[in-house]
Each structure stands twice: as C-alpha cells, then as structure tokens.
Amino acid sequence: MSKLKEKLAKKIEEHRPRTTRLVKEYGDVKVCDVTISQVIGGMRGIKCLVTDISYLDPYEGIRFRGYTIPEVMEKLPKPAGCEMPYVEGHFYLLLTGEIPTEEEVQEVIEEFKKRKQVPQYVYDLLRSMPRDTHPMTMFSAAVLSMQRESKFAKAYAEGKMNKFNYWEYMYEDVMDLLAKLPEIGAYIYRMKYKGDTPIPSNPDLDFGGDFAHMMGIDKPYDDVMRMYFILHSDHESGNVSAHTTHLVASALSDAYYSLSAGLNGLAGPLHGLANQEVLKWIQDLRAKYGDKMPTKEDLEKFCWDTLNSGQVIPGYGHAVLRKTDPRYTAQREFALKHLPDDELFQIVSMLYEVVPGVLEKHGKAKNPWPNVDAHSGVIQWYYGVREYDFYTVLFGIGRALGVLANITWDRALGYPIERPKSVTTDMLEEIAGIKK
Ligand code: CMX
C-alpha cells in the first residue's frame, strides 16, 4: 500500500465514527429551512451536502482544507526554482487535510508516474471524432472510454468488496485517472490546434511541468498551469461539476462515469465554459474598436449592449460569492507581475473598474464582482493558448483534483445514493395558501 493510501486509511478510520454518531444520535436536528424560491430556484443555499475538503465563504472566498489561497501557495512544497507549488502536493492536501513534506509529494509524483500511460484506444477514439468536436466533448468522451479500466467496477462485479473497503478501489481508480488527465488534455490540444503534433510525456516532470511540456510552451507556463490547476481544483460541493460528480458516484458508479458526468456539467456556459465566453466577448469588443484601445465609456456601452440584448456578462457574478473571487485576485497578481503591459490584461483590468458599477445599476445580479473565469483566459492567451474553446479543458483537469478527492471520501464515509424529493406546482400553491 502506498504511504498516501495508508495515511488516508488512518484518517478514514478516525473520521467514520463522527459521521455515524451525527446520523445515529443527532439525525433529527434541523440544519436549515427551505423556502419556495429555493425549491424553484436551483436549491440555492440549501445546506444538504457535506464535504471537509473545501469551504466557500461568500465574503472570504474558498478555503482548501481550512487554508486560504495565499496560504496554500505559500505552504505547499514547490519544484526547485519555481514560483508555484506542486499540483501533487495540493492533491495530497485535499485528500488528507495535511500539508505534505517534499518527500510525501515525491511519493505522489512517483504514484502518478506509474499510472500515467494512456491506453491506445483513447487516442484512437479521439482521432475518430470529427476535428471540429468541442474539446470538452473529446475530453469527457476520453475519460468515459476508460471506464473499462475501473478497478471498482471490476471488483464490484466479482462481488469482492464489502462497504468498508469500497473506498480503496475508488482510490485506485482516482489515482489511475488523475495521472492520465494532463496527457489527454495536451493531446487534444496538439491534435486539434497544432497540426496534429502531439508531444510525448516527459516522465521526469511533475504534473504541471509535464503538462506545459506536452503543450509545447516554455517557462513560466509550467507555473501558470500549477497555479491554474490548484485554483480551479475545488469550490465546495454544490457547484454543478462537483455536485454532478458526487451525484453520479452516489449510485456507486465508478470514478470514470462520475468524472465524465461532472465534466459535462462544467461544459455549460454558466459554469466552466464561461472562461471561453469571456475571451470571445473580449475579442468581440476588440473587433468593434479595431486598433484603438477602448475607453472606459466604450466598455460601459459595450456592457449595456450585452445586457440589453438579454445576455449575461461572462466572468461576473456568482451563486455564493459576494465579493471579488480570490481566484481572480490570485491570477491578477500573477498578471501584474508577469504581463503588466499586455493590452488584453489592461482591458480586463478596466473591465474590473467598469462592470461591477454597470451590474449594480442593472440591478439583477446579486454579486457584481468578477469570478475565476473573468481572468483565466487572458493569461492563457498571453502564453500563446489562443484557441479559447480549449480553456474549459484546463478548468476540467484542475476540477478533477477536487471532485475525485471528494468522491473518494464519499465512498469512505458511505454517503448513500442521493435522492431529494420533488413536489408539484399544485402542492407549492397549496403550501403558499393560494390553492385550497
Ligand atoms: N450578467 C448579467 N446578468 C447576471 C449576471 C451577469 N454576469 N449574473 C447574474 N445575473 C442575473 C441572472 O441571470 C439572474 O437574472 P434573472 O433574474 O433574469 O434570471 C439575476 O441576475 C440573479 O442571478 P444571481 O442570483 O445573482 O446569480 P445565479 O446564482 O442565478 O447565477 C451565475 C450565478 C454565475 C450563473 C451568474 O452570475 C452568471 O450567469 N454569470 C455569468 C456567467 C459566469 O461567469 N459563470 C461562471 C461562474 C463561475 C464558474 O462556475 O465557473
């Protein structure tokens, strides 16, 4: 057993009695009430999911295992000469709740190395798809196609497992799957946009470093991607990609089925696809003003044109956050250091000054501030990744770290199949006292 798995086994044993006790002794204690607007309005704010891996405060933003983004970036071990921490160390933190030592990070790197070989049939599948297929469709299909490798599904079919060791097979699938995602993502990119010139993996590199190498982009893109994967990893359990992955896994579907489903949710324009929408929107803005740098007044007018045509301003607003997303701020700080004079970055900075005021005047969005997606495309663009329909795949590789850590714990703690109850409109009208 790997040291990471051993550590996890110990943590799970310690944690299980807490969950059992809450259900057995305090199962009837109320957590919150539910209103009609929550029932109709996408369950917004209903407290009905459990995760200890991250927590999103509306005003502070995300904490991973209790650590803020600056704390994570400062405390996790980094590769020599690099600005950003190892992605493997962040995964260790998400899974165990502990900041790993350099040696513990190296063990995860070794684990991934052993598991990173992508089966040939995945490449064959990707190559058989029409080249204009959206990269998220390719990515999700690649993940799903590997379901035949699932150790959980195989052991379940053989009747080998009992409930208490389900998680061990889930862990194996999660590690196998995560190790392959950078190569699959980079392969899609090079096949689709770079004249079908995939670059083989370099086994001596870490998750972020190898991804940058396979994308064919020089330093500091490796640091960009370490930062990017860490920032996008987890945002507690209620967002569409995390919730979908959890929901599908709750039926004892394996990690391949579950992650593929979560990625399909991430591909929606109100969720992860917003990063491509932001770049598209900014390119439309630039096309409108030609070579001239737009003024703040131009930007304001462009925002109103978007809103008046019934569209949302991509990259702004959030279902939970009520301030600037600290994931936006972390990327802004990186851009201020590495690309302060970039024209696109300057437009993004001006938008930060203009959009919140416009959205406040518009009076609909509960949160007028930027989210993670408002900034991510600009940095990718600067380092040469200009095919913006690829951006959500980058989000997906990062998001996999969080959702896969979560479903490992879901299975360890025996969370049951998810099954909320629906009501009819007649029933709601009766509850509201409109109808007798
Ligand atoms: N531009 C215009 N209108 C917006 C808006 C925006 N950026 N954000 C919210 N609104 C509108 C909503 O469409 C809604 O309008 P209706 O009452 O007509 O339906 C109203 O304001 C209230 O919405 P809300 O409660 O503030 O926000 P929700 O929780 O319903 O939705 C989100 C959250 C992110 C989907 C929404 O803010 C949005 O569409 N933003 C733009 C897309 C985006 O950036 N998505 C990425 C989010 C981060 C991620 O998951 O990757």
Side-chain angles (χ1 to χ4, degrees):
M1 203 189 262
S2 74
K3 289 206 178 130
L4 173 60
K5 196 169 177 185
E6 252 173 52
K7 171 146 282 174
L8 195 55
K10 190 166 163 281
K11 299 250 163 200
I12 288 167
E13 282 312 310
E14 284 163 11
H15 194 109
R16 272 182 179 148
R18 294 172 63 195
T19 305
T20 311
R21 181 174 185 211
L22 282 170
V23 176
K24 273 205 176 139
E25 296 177 34
Y26 301 94
D28 293 332
V29 175
K30 260 194 178 181
V31 177
C32 68
D33 294 321
V34 178
T35 63
I36 288 180
S37 61
Q38 288 174 307
V39 172
I40 296 178
M43 302 188 278
R44 201 69 85 259
I46 300 174
K47 293 176 179 145
C48 56
L49 293 161
V50 198
T51 176
D52 299 302
I53 291 178
S54 65
Y55 183 77
L56 180 58
D57 179 87
Y59 297 96
E60 189 193 49
I62 194 70
R63 275 180 184 256
F64 301 112
R65 289 287 189 178
Y67 296 103
T68 62
I69 290 170
E71 285 167 351
V72 164
M73 297 306 190
E74 190 232 305
K75 288 180 190 300
L76 287 176
K78 301 179 177 69
C82 294
E83 214 177 306
M84 296 293 164
Y86 287 108
V87 174
E88 291 88 339
H90 184 62
F91 182 64
Y92 187 106
L93 170 67
L94 296 180
L95 208 52
T96 67
E98 289 182 18
I99 300 280
T101 61
E102 173 73 33
E103 195 191 337
E104 285 165 334
V105 173
Q106 290 305 329
E107 280 164 13
V108 182
I109 292 176
E110 285 307 313
E111 277 287 307
F112 283 164
K113 231 182 245 178
K114 281 188 245 155
R115 301 170 190 251
K116 66 172 26 171
Q117 180 74 47
V118 176
Q120 180 58 39
Y121 64 77
V122 176
Y123 299 127
D124 296 343
L125 170 77
L126 292 173
R127 306 191 71 76
S128 74
M129 296 173 94
R131 283 293 150 89
D132 62 357
T133 304
H134 194 281
M136 276 302 275
T137 314
M138 290 184 167
F139 190 47
S140 173
V143 168
L144 188 60
S145 74
M146 293 188 291
Q147 190 278 332
R148 64 188 291 284
E149 313 291 335
S150 171
K151 292 170 179 157
F152 179 90
K154 188 164 179 280
Y156 193 88
E158 287 168 358
K160 264 189 188 171
M161 295 183 287
N162 71 51
K163 275 191 169 186
F164 290 98
N165 66 0
Y166 278 175
W167 75 266
E168 296 194 35
Y169 294 86
M170 178 62 104
Y171 169 89
E172 295 299 330
D173 282 352
V174 160
M175 296 299 281
D176 285 346
L177 186 47
L178 263 182
K180 295 175 179 61
L181 297 182
E183 185 158 344
I184 294 171
Y187 187 90
I188 292 170
Y189 181 74
R190 303 281 317 179
M191 176 186 76
K192 198 169 149 63
Y193 306 106
K194 296 289 158 191
D196 199 3
T197 55
I199 299 172
S201 159
N202 177 346
D204 295 330
L205 295 172
D206 64 296
F207 199 95
D210 197 21
F211 182 74
H213 156 77
M214 291 184 284
M215 290 287 285
I217 307 176
D218 293 337
K219 273 181 176 300
Y221 190 68
D222 55 339
D223 265 335
V224 169
M225 291 320 299
R226 290 186 192 100
M227 170 180 76
Y228 201 95
F229 293 146
I230 291 171
L231 291 181
H232 288 80
S233 61
D234 209 36
H235 223 218
E236 64 170 48
S237 295
N239 66 78
V240 171
S241 50
H243 188 195
T244 309
T245 309
H246 162 81
L247 170 67
V248 174
S250 83
L252 290 190
S253 299
D254 57 58
Y256 299 86
Y257 281 129
S258 307
L259 179 64
S260 174
L263 291 171
N264 297 342
L266 190 70
L270 295 187
H271 190 16
L273 202 81
N275 58 11
Q276 96 167 37
E277 296 298 297
V278 169
L279 246 287
K280 185 167 164 284
W281 186 68
I282 295 178
Q283 291 309 324
D284 290 348
L285 170 87
R286 284 179 117 185
K288 189 166 174 184
Y289 291 98
D291 290 339
K292 170 179 158 293
M293 183 75 170
T295 62
K296 280 192 189 170
E297 289 68 36
D298 295 333
L299 293 186
E300 199 167 328
K301 181 171 180 317
F302 194 75
C303 289
W304 280 111
D305 288 348
T306 301
L307 293 171
N308 291 336
S309 65
Q311 295 165 58
V312 294
I313 298 185
Y316 280 77
H318 200 272
V320 178
L321 279 166
R322 292 295 176 259
K323 61 157 251 185
T324 298
D325 190 334
R327 300 172 300 174
Y328 175 93
T329 311
Q331 294 182 85
R332 180 171 164 75
E333 279 164 11
F334 186 92
L336 281 168
K337 186 167 172 196
H338 293 274
L339 45 137
D341 302 325
D342 179 62
E343 197 179 297
L344 206 58
F345 172 54
Q346 285 173 1
I347 294 178
V348 165
S349 298
M350 273 164 69
L351 285 168
Y352 190 20
E353 292 173 37
V354 169
V355 177
V358 171
L359 283 177
E360 267 168 5
K361 258 191 225 149
H362 186 239
K364 274 191 164 187
K366 294 191 188 69
N367 176 40
W369 300 105
N371 60 57
V372 65
D373 298 315
H375 215 301
S376 46
V378 182
I379 300 180
Q380 294 297 331
W381 184 275
Y382 180 79
Y383 288 105
V385 185
R386 300 198 164 181
E387 302 81 3
Y388 46 75
D389 58 352
F390 183 70
Y391 293 171
T392 313
V393 173
L394 303 174
F395 193 154
I397 299 173
R399 181 50 52 96
L401 298 160
V403 300
L404 292 177
N406 267 289
I407 60 174
T408 308
W409 272 96
D410 288 353
R411 204 135 298 178
L413 297 178
Y415 292 156
I417 188 164
E418 204 178 282
R419 199 356 178 147
K421 182 82 185 80
S422 53
V423 287
T424 64
T425 307
D426 278 345
M427 287 173 187
L428 286 181
E429 284 169 343
E430 275 169 32
I431 293 167
I434 301 169
K435 215 179 208 177
K436 293 277 173 284

